[in-house]
Amino acid sequence: MNNIGIVRAHTNIALIKYWGKRNNKLFLPMNSSLSLTLDAFYTDTKVTLSDTYDKDSFYLDNVKQDANETEKITNFLNLFREAANIKTKAKIESYNHVPTAAGLASSASAFAALAGAMNIAAGLNLDKQTLSTFARRGSGSATRSIYGGLVEWTMGYNDVSDSSFAIPVDNADWNIGMLVIAINKQQKKLSSRIGMQQTVDTSPFYPAWVKCAKNDLTAIKKAIADKDFIAMGEITEANGMKMHGTMLGAVPPISYWEPDSVKAIQKVKDIRDMGIPCYVTMDAGPNVKVLCRQTYIEKIRDLLLTEFKPEQLISSRVGSGIIELSEA
Ligand code: DP6
């Protein structure tokens, strides 16, 4: 058994959002979602399994993590240990490659990289689809980071864990890029996990969200198949806004926006009015992501420089799926 695995996974940004679980233990979502994997933000993770360890240990950017953080990792690794029928403890070394101003430390790349590395270290050799169902159990959005380009996470059915996995939809090599406008690098006040649960439990708009997300997914897949960037952008922007609208209906209301988020959205609309196609989406934080043509990305960046500092504007190309790395 090869007891070391090293894997890189990129983060992804949902164009059709996941916001709510129908099964909290299995991380089964209320709706299918679709994302774009980004090249600029990624996590590298090394898993070493050894009989000499008496417990799991977890280092993030060379800092040993406390028992609480390590326990989350242990629970996740146990899924793999059960599948491989082993009890061996692990040392996890993770490095986040996220420009510091972005505040985009992502559970998606973290759990996708950890799943990929543990798959190798434990000698499981799971195929990517199965691996995505494991990544899902760490964080829902990690399901999609197993693949590159445009990726669907299908919701599956009932409480059947194996039925909810990632599907590569398109490699997105048709002039697509994303620009992140980093508004605030502070840790978010309300985690997406708690925010989505509160929305499911209390927002009267939630049933409408699920219905819209389903229709938006069908529409965006058609736009992608047609390589219709404008339709794709319009659906992306509308879907993100609907997710945030649903949250505003929660009790108490949830908003991740800051004044500069609104400023960024307005500026992107102004740029669009100049004839440059670009569309916004936002997640569980104040940062604004701009879906655009890769060839326009530097032009858009220049236009945004009137309002934002250079270090707040991070351009990204389309990213690949998980990659096995060798020891440096
Ligand atoms: C707004 O995947 O972070 O980014 O499954 O509880 O770990 P857990 O949540 P997480 O939620 C992501 C929410 C989102 C939308 C998305 O990525 O689809």
Side-chain angles (χ1 to χ4, degrees), residues 167-188:
I167 306 165
V169 170
D170 188 288
N171 62 11
D173 66 346
W174 37 288
N175 194 13
I176 293 173
M178 193 170 263
L179 185 91
V180 176
I181 309 175
I183 304 294
N184 187 336
K185 62 175 173 175
Q186 305 280 299
Q187 188 90 6
K188 54 192 165 194

Side-chain angles (χ1 to χ4, degrees), residues 14 17-19 21 27 107 139-141 144 192-193 196 243 283-284:
K17 306 293 185 186
Y18 145 60
W19 194 250
K21 300 178 182 69
F27 287 70
S107 59
S139 183
S141 51
R144 300 180 306 236
S192 31
R193 193 158 301 174
M196 67 174 74
M243 178 184 75
D283 294 294

